[in-house]
Amino acid sequence: MKDVLPVGLADKEISLEEKKKEMVALTALADKFETLPMHFMKFHGGSDVDDVLDAMEYATYVHDVEHIILDNMQFMISRQAVGGKGSSYDKFDMQDIAIEKFRKFATDYNVHITLVVHPRKEDEGAKLSISSFYGSSKATQEADTVLILQSDGKRKFVDVKKNRFDGTLGHVPLYFQRKSGRYSENPETPPTPQRTSIPKGVSAMNGTNQVLGKARAVASGGAASVYHDIRNQHPIS
């Protein structure tokens, strides 16, 4: 929608007609959103990896799904590791097994899998690298592309750390759009200030003396209008 959602319309000091217009716009957007080929798996918290793979296989056959997003690796396998007599080694081992299965699934079914993995505990403001991923290095080894959401305390950007396709690396800046609450790679465009129109015959680049000199010359014998220097009152661009 790229606009402010009509949340809390009852508290807004707008007319009833304007509230109805906003609700109609939101309803139309929701109806349009329902037509998108998006499906959501009903898994919450720790889940068995094989059950997730069965749901993914069903989605590829029945709904022709081509892109699967799993968020996130640690949360998904946490219950399996904590539920029994597992140690931290068992948890990392299960994560490696899960990544192997996801890698094989992506290859066998020719689908794109985006797997969210949280980073290790790092110093605040420190730049993350491939070694910052939680668990063993298998997650980054098996991945075709590694993207890191970076934040240095002042700015956010997506950092491409691995690209198996052609090796191109780099980063894309992220700018927060206050109006819509979204992130975009383009900064918000500030409102364009109104420009002051300069009368014909007055130079905006030359000093005040020239303008005042013309005024004195006109006052002494000319009949033309007198222009005053207004550069200290309005921004001239």
Side-chain angles (χ1 to χ4, degrees), residues 6-194:
V7 179
L9 287 178
D11 300 331
K12 289 186 178 180
E13 296 182 357
I14 57 177
S15 65
L16 184 61
E17 185 178 349
E18 289 176 323
K19 291 180 180 180
K20 287 182 179 179
K21 284 183 179 179
E22 290 198 29
M23 288 306 302
V24 168
L26 180 61
T27 304
L29 181 68
D31 293 339
K32 188 176 180 181
F33 182 79
E34 287 183 350
T35 63
L36 297 177
M38 296 178 63
H39 307 274
F40 297 86
M41 293 187 288
K42 297 180 180 180
F43 292 103
H44 302 281
S47 305
D48 187 89
V49 175
D50 291 330
D51 292 339
V52 177
L53 288 169
D54 289 341
M56 291 164 54
E57 183 179 4
Y58 178 85
T60 55
Y61 275 128
V62 177
H63 301 297
D64 295 325
V65 169
E66 298 178 350
H67 185 190
I68 300 170
I69 303 174
L70 301 174
D71 183 11
N72 61 71
M73 170 58 72
Q74 290 93 320
F75 196 59
M76 185 169 59
I77 66 174
S78 60
R79 187 178 65 181
Q80 302 177 60
V82 178
K85 34 190 179 178
S87 63
S88 59
Y89 171 78
D90 296 328
K91 181 166 60 176
F92 294 146
D93 197 40
M94 285 194 317
Q95 179 174 324
D96 289 349
I97 294 173
I99 291 172
E100 283 182 12
K101 292 182 177 181
F102 291 142
R103 169 73 263 181
K104 186 175 186 302
F105 184 93
T107 304
D108 293 344
Y109 291 89
N110 192 27
V111 297
H112 188 108
I113 297 179
T114 296
L115 180 63
V116 180
V117 181
H118 286 185
R120 293 192 177 101
K121 296 293 183 182
E122 300 279 2
D123 294 335
E124 189 173 354
K127 197 173 180 181
L128 302 177
S129 64
I130 285 186
S131 61
S132 302
F133 281 77
Y134 181 83
S136 69
S137 60
K138 193 170 187 63
T140 55
Q141 289 174 350
E142 294 284 3
D144 294 318
T145 309
V146 176
L147 307 176
I148 300 180
L149 179 60
Q150 299 273 17
S151 175
D152 58 5
K154 296 181 181 178
R155 56 177 185 157
K156 287 186 173 69
F157 55 95
V158 176
D159 201 357
V160 183
K161 285 296 186 181
K162 180 181 179 181
N163 181 2
R164 188 170 284 168
F165 177 68
D166 62 0
T168 303
L169 305 179
H171 64 273
V172 179
L174 293 176
Y175 298 96
F176 184 67
Q177 309 288 343
R178 294 182 180 275
K179 183 180 179 182
S180 61
R182 303 163 69 245
Y183 277 98
S184 171
E185 60 184 275
N186 299 316
E188 277 186 316
T189 305
T192 305
Q194 293 184 350

